[in-house]
Amino acid sequence: MNYSEETAFMAKEKATAVQEKKLHGLLQYVAANSPFYREMFMEHGIDISSIRTITDLQHIPVTVKENLQQRNNDFLCVGKDRIIEYCSTSGTLGSPVTIALTDNDLDRLAFNEYTSFICAAGTAADTYQLMLTLDRQFMAGMAYYSGIRKMGAGVIRLGPGVPSLQWDTIQRLKPTAIVAVPSFIVKLIQFAGEHGIDINSSSVKKAICIGENIRNTDFSLNILGRKITDAWNISLFSTYASTEMQTAFTECTASAGGHMQPELIILEMLDENNRPVKPGEPGEVTITTLGVEGMPLLRYKTGDLCIAHEEPCACGRKSTRLSPVVGRMKQMIKYKGTTLYPPALFDLLNEMEHIIDYVAEVYSNEMGTDEVLLNIVPAQLTDECDRTIRSNLQARLRVSPHVKYVSWEELQKMQMPETGRKIVKFIDRRAKGMEDV
């Protein structure tokens, strides 16, 4: 399949025409090949020939995570002999889902990341140090590697963790960019300070930040983003993606949201009743994949709440941009009358200088209401430090979560379980949850 990065620069009307042409083909394809969508069309009496515009998609029911979990194989549109790669979700919102990819799907994935890296000021002259796992069926690691190769840049596949090895490699091989979780970049900065490494004289000039917010919804740097840039003079680019959508929304140099790639995906922002939200309001990111052969999705609700921005970007792209993730629908915490999403809690904890690191847990008490436990590595295990942490939490949250002080070793076991692929910051132990983030 041929793709062009120019679609993001097209006027909205032209880009929409490209999407709607691809949508017609997608509907015919899933009607013929997807057991799940064929059954859905029959059950709801949907005539796919009547779905001619993106607005018409609202006549099709949404697809949710539970559909994928319960009927995973019924989404497969090709024979097993066509499958080249199996990836899986991390299980953040429940049990993992397997996503099967064809050879063409891998080409599409490479194009997606090629375009993403170019959007984030990447060139063939760059060398990227990948500080994330490339195994355990993790689509992101494979996608980054493929996209960088397509761009013609260099790749150093070092994997996650181990600040000493990361810095040794940076000093030896001189990468110009890193791909990493922002909280790990903070640990790199701390290690450098403790070992006399001048980070601002290093070869690294930019970071592709994955898995955590580095900006507020107004696109200003949040506490985590400022912790990085206050110490290290590098450009930060945030990304938003999921295994199911097989597509990424990546920031450009304007730092004003992640750009949609119109020929790879159709985006809807829906409320809890599956109606479009008003402009500027948070909505659940709902996607229809374009160009996917193995397991295409129609109107898939990701569970992530973002704000969409439609005005043209200063970079010249006219595609929709997404804000940082405001929260996840299933991770909303109702604690003593206060509604809270994990990203807001993370911002607060990252801001507190008396906290070195943390894992937040939510669980149900005997009354069935939410309780919050913060596992914290304190800067100092003293009464004064404890009083400061608790008073700050009370003042900012207006409620007092439970606090447990743990050692660095104990926290690392919580953050990086043996079967994990990402650093865990939030554990949902509610009966409906059992999710890690």
Side-chain angles (χ1 to χ4, degrees), residues 25 51-53 83 116 156 186 255 281 391 401 422-423 433:
I51 311 297
R52 307 198 61 80
T53 68
I83 299 169
S116 295
I156 303 168
V186 173
S255 304
E281 291 185 354
S391 63
K422 305 176 183 177
I423 295 175

Side-chain angles (χ1 to χ4, degrees), residues 34-104:
S34 169
F36 179 85
Y37 286 117
R38 187 164 55 239
E39 180 181 314
M40 174 193 281
F41 295 160
M42 292 180 62
E43 180 181 345
H44 293 273
I46 295 170
D47 176 7
I48 60 171
S49 65
S50 67
I51 311 297
R52 307 198 61 80
T53 68
I54 291 175
T55 303
D56 292 339
L57 274 173
Q58 295 176 36
H59 299 299
I60 298 176
V62 297
T63 301
V64 295
K65 184 82 169 187
E66 288 75 16
N67 298 141
L68 276 171
Q69 290 169 330
Q70 296 164 8
R71 300 187 58 184
N72 205 167
N73 291 336
D74 287 340
F75 285 86
L76 189 61
C77 289
V78 298
K80 293 194 71 172
D81 60 324
R82 295 276 313 281
I83 299 169
I84 302 296
E85 183 85 32
Y86 290 94
C87 295
S88 74
T89 63
S90 60
T92 296
L93 295 178
S95 58
V97 169
T98 296
I99 302 294
L101 294 89
T102 67
D103 196 43
N104 282 332

Side-chain angles (χ1 to χ4, degrees), residues 166-180:
Q166 302 288 354
W167 275 116
D168 177 68
T169 306
I170 289 171
Q171 292 170 325
R172 286 189 303 105
L173 300 182
K174 304 290 190 292
T176 57
I178 60 176
V179 181

Side-chain angles (χ1 to χ4, degrees), residues 22-23 26 30 108 243-247 263-266 287-293 295-300:
K22 289 177 175 282
L23 175 61
L26 169 63
V30 297
R108 177 188 177 280
T243 302
E244 297 94 329
M245 72 170 71
Q246 303 180 45
T247 316
E263 66 177 323
L264 298 184
I265 202 165
I266 292 171
I287 58 94
T288 294
T289 57
L290 300 174
V292 172
E293 285 185 334
M295 297 183 75
L297 296 174
L298 289 173
R299 308 196 77 208
Y300 176 72

Side-chain angles (χ1 to χ4, degrees), residues 305-360:
L305 294 171
C306 294
I307 300 170
H309 295 264
E310 300 294 342
E311 65 275 11
C313 182
C315 73
R317 292 175 177 84
K318 299 178 178 64
S319 56
T320 303
R321 290 168 287 116
L322 283 183
S323 75
V325 174
V326 176
R328 283 180 166 159
M329 294 292 289
K330 290 189 176 181
Q331 290 172 349
M332 183 175 69
I333 304 167
K334 291 187 176 180
Y335 185 54
K336 298 181 179 179
T338 297
T339 297
L340 186 66
Y341 286 103
L345 180 59
F346 297 165
D347 283 347
L348 169 60
L349 295 170
N350 288 329
E351 186 177 355
M352 295 172 64
E353 61 183 18
H354 292 83
I355 295 176
I356 295 176
D357 210 346
Y358 59 86
V359 170

